[in-house]
Structure formats: structure tokens, C-alpha cells
Amino acid sequence: MLAPHPDDFEVVAVTMRRLAAKDAKLFLEVLTSGASGVEDGFAGTWDEKADAREGEQRESGKVFGLDDGVIRFHRLVEDEEGHMLEDDYNEGLVGAILDRVRPDVVVLPHGSDTNADHRRTFRMFDRWAQEQKNPPEALLVRDPKTTGMRLDLVTLFGAEEAEWKAELLRCHASQQERGLRTRGHGLDERVLQVNREIAAELGGVAKFAEGFEVKSYA
């Protein structure tokens, strides 16, 4: 998974657990620290905010059962607003990640998204994939900031797995607390509400669903 921020993995945690259960080897590549999303009251300096978010991702990984050795933090160069730069240097780093792993499938945000890091991650991956002789298939994630996408693939789940997923999301305490303060609900509820909406679009065949657009480069 190419995750622009810590906590992007958890948005589709049920799908990732299903893949792991089928003996897929997972790699979580976290491209930025996400420090810009941490309030000053939670942590002070930029480095403290970055360390906090990466620590939250490691804690969630433990709950998930993900080997810490397959979680890598890259801290791509950022602009003055704390978003990754979409430049040759960062694009080279993303390409090097993909060249090292040589994935069969890449899970990443959809390009139609209000978050700049999500859009830039997709574009850098897309350019890399188009240059490959045997490119991987991409599973583009529907998340709370996605503005439009096809729904090609879904993972259905119920209340028990939803609570497990919520536990993972609550590991990201900086985001959970910010959501409770600014929106009146935490990261856990924000993500699960998207999953409820996807399930409703499917006619209520399940209580929750994670959704993807499948992009093939073959």
C-alpha cells in the first residue's frame, strides 16, 4: 500500500486483513509523516508531531498483526503547507519504493480527492505504472475525501469487523481527538460512515463495505 499518511491503511483495513488471510504479503509504505494534521495542543514541534503520527501507525500495526518490518516511513519532501512536493526527487523516491517491492497489486488513494497528498500520490504512481513492462493492478480507495469514482470492487463486513476496524482507527489518537473536537465525531466514525454509505449503495446487502475502483495498466 502506498499510504500518503499514517492512518490511510486503516481506511481499508478489512480488505487488507482479508488479503493477508489469503497469504498475500503486505507492504505498508507511508510517504509523509502527516505532521501538518496534528494540532499544537497534541504535540509541540514538527518533529514531535511526525514522531507521534508514526508511533500511532506502529501501534495500529501491532493491533492489526502487521510485522513492524514491513512498515516503512519515508517522509517525502514537503511544501510550506506540509504537503508532499510533486517533484522529480519525490517521484524518484516513489518509483524506487515500487521498484524495490515489485508489487502485484498496489492499494492507494483515488486521484479524484480533495486531499493534495492523495492526488499527488496517485499521479506519481500513475506515471510510474505507465512506464512499466508488467505494471501492477491498482486498487483505488474510496475514503472520506474522495469526490468521485467507479465502484468496481467491494469488501462487505458486519458489526464485529467494524468494531475491530474502529479500534485500529482509534490508535491514531491525534486524528481521533482532532475529529472529536472539530467535527463532533472521531476518525473511527468518519471512516465507518463512508463504509455505511457504500453498503447502502449496494442495496443494504451488508452493514458496511469498503470500496475500490480497479485500474488496470495491462
Side-chain angles (χ1 to χ4, degrees):
M1 183 172 194
L2 282 180
H5 314 106
D7 78 21
D8 287 324
F9 178 86
E10 287 73 14
V11 172
V12 289
V14 175
T15 300
M16 303 307 284
R17 182 161 76 164
R18 301 272 178 89
L19 290 170
K22 296 292 185 180
D23 296 325
K25 188 172 183 181
L26 305 184
F27 296 87
L28 174 53
E29 309 287 345
V30 184
L31 300 182
T32 78
S33 68
S36 63
V38 179
E39 295 183 310
D40 291 340
F42 189 90
T45 68
W46 192 267
D47 284 342
E48 288 171 344
K49 292 176 180 181
D51 290 344
R53 292 215 66 184
E54 291 174 0
E56 291 166 355
Q57 182 63 84
R58 293 188 188 281
E59 180 61 28
S60 175
K62 289 179 183 177
V63 176
F64 181 93
L66 197 61
D67 186 341
D68 195 56
V70 302
I71 306 174
R72 290 167 60 96
F73 299 98
H74 298 280
R75 297 198 185 186
L76 299 188
V77 179
E78 299 170 333
D79 62 21
E80 63 278 2
E81 295 181 341
H83 298 302
M84 68 173 77
L85 291 172
E86 189 176 357
D87 60 7
D88 290 342
Y89 179 77
N90 279 350
E91 191 154 340
L93 291 178
V94 171
I97 292 167
L98 294 161
D99 289 339
R100 171 179 54 83
V101 177
R102 301 309 305 178
D104 298 304
V105 176
V106 177
V107 181
L108 72 161
H110 197 280
S112 296
D113 196 287
T114 61
N115 185 279
D117 285 337
H118 290 194
R119 297 193 304 270
R120 294 170 187 178
T121 297
F122 170 77
R123 289 195 296 259
M124 288 191 284
F125 166 79
D126 188 60
R127 288 191 287 267
W128 173 88
Q130 291 185 48
E131 296 177 353
Q132 304 307 302
K133 184 177 181 180
N134 296 300
E137 200 161 54
L139 299 184
L140 308 178
V141 174
R142 178 166 168 181
D143 67 28
K145 295 185 177 181
T146 306
T147 57
M149 58 174 272
R150 294 193 318 269
L151 195 59
D152 297 330
L153 177 69
V154 295
T155 300
L156 307 177
F157 60 103
E160 184 175 344
E161 284 184 295
E163 180 50 40
W164 170 82
K165 179 174 179 173
E167 181 184 1
L168 297 180
L169 289 160
R170 288 192 293 268
C171 289
H172 297 274
S174 64
Q175 306 309 293
Q176 180 75 2
E177 292 180 16
R178 186 181 70 165
L180 288 168
R181 190 185 68 79
T182 61
R183 297 189 181 96
H185 58 264
L187 178 65
D188 54 354
E189 178 55 28
R190 190 179 187 205
V191 171
L192 288 175
Q193 181 56 34
V194 173
N195 299 149
R196 291 188 192 96
E197 292 168 359
I198 296 170
E201 291 173 20
L202 299 171
V205 294
K207 288 187 176 181
F208 302 90
E210 295 171 350
F212 304 86
E213 179 177 321
V214 180
K215 186 170 178 59
S216 178
Y217 293 85

